[in-house]
Amino acid sequence: MAPRANWKGFLRLSLVTCPVALYPATSESEKISFNQLNRQTGHRIKYVKVDADTGDEVPNEDIVKGYELEKGQYIEVSKDELEEIALESTRTIEIDEFVDRSDIDPRYLIRPYYIRPDGKVGHDAFAVIRETIREMDKVAIGRVVLTNREHIIALEPMDKGLVGTLLRYPYEVRSEEDYFDDIQEVKVTKDMLDLARHIVNQKAGRFEPEKFEDHYETALIELINEKRAGKVIQPKERPKGENVVDLMEALRRSVGKAAGKEAAPAKAGKPAKKPKKAAAGQKEMLMPIAGRKPAKEAAAKKPATGARRKSA
């Protein structure tokens, strides 16, 4: 069963229309998150909305939006006024044009959504639109209104559904000239390019996301588990950076390292650590924190010294 849709409406290509629903294609809910606590009591910090001048708490029904013209001077805009300027495309994704995927600058990509037919009707029309985009090997560009704002959306077929990616407007993308103009012009020699190409060829592969592990997330889980077990946390020694003096020598050493011919010398008396196996998914990584351990093992654990319990 699919999760709750973020948006429901219609997908339209000229006179062909079908009801559709949008679902977020990504999620960060499985990442470790923290609450802010009062160090003295261990209680959670609560935020309230207050009047900046009087300090009095303001209920939600008395809060309106305001655009600051100058310091302390605002133009108030009500919810009804914002709804009045909502466009006709509020409940329709209107396909305006078809473009090549290579035409879309990656800087314009924001976030992906899964799009599927909504309900039991409209599957035929949805399939026609999906297969037309697939056969033409194009990306459909349309418009959709989410959270009171109109967005550009790029539609591509994926399996039996569509993936819609929200796009930025030109005014949201900064010019690269502001950052790249002062980069020095450097002549790269053929020898350097040859060595660099050799490194690339040795590391060539296919993009497989499951191979990668969020090392910071893993470190957070280990830290929380250690504190829950009552262990004293000791700061780890940070690796020191190396100054590259000879670029050609660094490239040659990199070639040897990529080929497995050169390895960093291990410290005396300490065996080299085995590389960590890539995690299959964050849910599996979170299981230790969720406390899914045998009852005997859980009972044997001492209560964490660093943990706080909310007072009654």
Side-chain angles (χ1 to χ4, degrees):
M1 183 177 178
R4 185 176 179 180
N6 270 29
W7 182 95
K8 290 187 177 184
F10 297 89
L11 176 62
R12 179 185 297 158
L13 173 60
S14 189
L15 299 178
V16 180
T17 306
C18 62
V20 295
L22 268 67
Y23 303 84
T26 60
S27 171
E28 295 192 355
S29 62
E30 292 180 354
K31 285 187 173 182
I32 294 292
S33 61
F34 294 99
N35 294 308
Q36 291 186 321
L37 307 177
N38 181 336
R39 185 194 299 272
Q40 302 298 325
T41 65
H43 300 160
R44 284 186 60 177
I45 299 297
K46 178 182 178 182
Y47 289 93
V48 294
K49 297 176 181 179
V50 300
D51 188 299
D53 291 336
T54 67
D56 298 331
E57 185 174 351
V58 183
N60 287 332
E61 59 268 20
D62 290 338
I63 297 177
V64 297
K65 294 182 182 293
Y67 175 79
E68 189 173 27
L69 291 175
E70 53 186 69
K71 189 68 174 178
Q73 184 179 356
Y74 301 90
I75 295 291
E76 291 186 7
V77 182
S78 69
K79 182 179 179 181
D80 291 339
E81 289 170 334
L82 290 173
E83 289 179 352
E84 279 293 322
I85 64 172
L87 305 177
E88 291 182 2
S89 59
T90 300
R91 285 296 162 198
T92 303
I93 301 176
E94 186 81 41
I95 297 178
D96 296 326
E97 61 179 347
F98 294 86
V99 302
D100 292 333
R101 184 65 179 82
S102 58
D103 288 345
I104 302 177
D105 188 321
R107 293 176 296 177
Y108 285 81
L109 305 177
I110 301 179
R111 74 180 67 88
Y113 288 87
Y114 293 136
I115 303 176
R116 53 163 291 162
D118 183 31
K120 298 181 179 179
V121 298
H123 285 249
D124 291 346
F126 182 87
V128 169
I129 296 173
R130 180 195 65 214
E131 293 309 309
T132 300
I133 301 172
R134 196 193 306 274
E135 289 296 320
M136 298 295 291
D137 195 22
K138 296 284 187 179
V139 176
I141 303 296
R143 291 165 286 126
V144 62
V145 174
L146 298 173
T147 60
N148 296 326
R149 275 190 176 269
E150 186 179 55
H151 298 268
I152 311 168
I153 188 167
L155 306 174
E156 300 176 84
M158 174 178 280
D159 195 20
K160 295 188 294 184
L162 292 170
V163 172
T165 304
L166 298 188
L167 304 178
R168 293 182 174 89
Y169 286 99
Y171 70 84
E172 298 178 278
V173 178
R174 293 175 175 174
S175 171
E176 71 281 1
E177 295 176 358
D178 297 336
Y179 306 91
F180 298 163
D181 276 356
D182 58 351
I183 297 178
Q184 298 179 9
E185 293 285 349
V186 177
K187 182 175 178 58
V188 181
T189 66
K190 183 179 182 301
D191 289 343
M192 288 183 177
L193 283 176
D194 288 343
L195 285 169
R197 287 195 195 99
H198 191 61
I199 296 170
V200 172
N201 288 332
Q202 288 177 319
K203 291 180 173 289
R206 291 177 58 85
F207 178 65
E208 299 173 7
E210 61 274 8
K211 293 191 303 186
F212 298 97
E213 177 185 354
D214 186 341
H215 293 98
Y216 182 69
E217 186 78 1
T218 302
L220 280 177
I221 292 170
E222 291 176 354
L223 172 64
I224 292 171
N225 283 334
E226 288 177 1
K227 290 183 72 69
R228 190 172 68 177
K231 294 183 180 179
V232 177
I233 307 301
Q234 298 290 349
K236 296 178 182 178
E237 185 178 350
R238 298 280 184 179
K240 297 179 180 179
E242 297 181 3
N243 293 323
V244 178
V245 179
D246 189 334
L247 183 55
M248 281 295 292
E249 178 60 24
L251 286 169
R252 290 193 184 97
R253 288 171 58 190
S254 296
V255 169
K257 186 175 182 181
K261 297 177 182 178
E262 180 180 315
K267 292 183 179 180
K270 289 186 178 181
K273 292 184 178 180
K274 293 182 180 180
K276 291 184 179 180
K277 186 178 179 182
Q282 295 303 93
K283 286 184 179 178
E284 295 175 355
M285 292 169 61
L286 289 169
M287 282 181 65
I289 288 183
R292 296 181 183 177
K293 293 192 175 184
K296 291 181 180 179
E297 184 181 348
K301 276 192 175 291
K302 295 180 179 179
T305 56
R308 289 183 182 269
R309 292 188 178 274
K310 186 175 180 181
S311 58

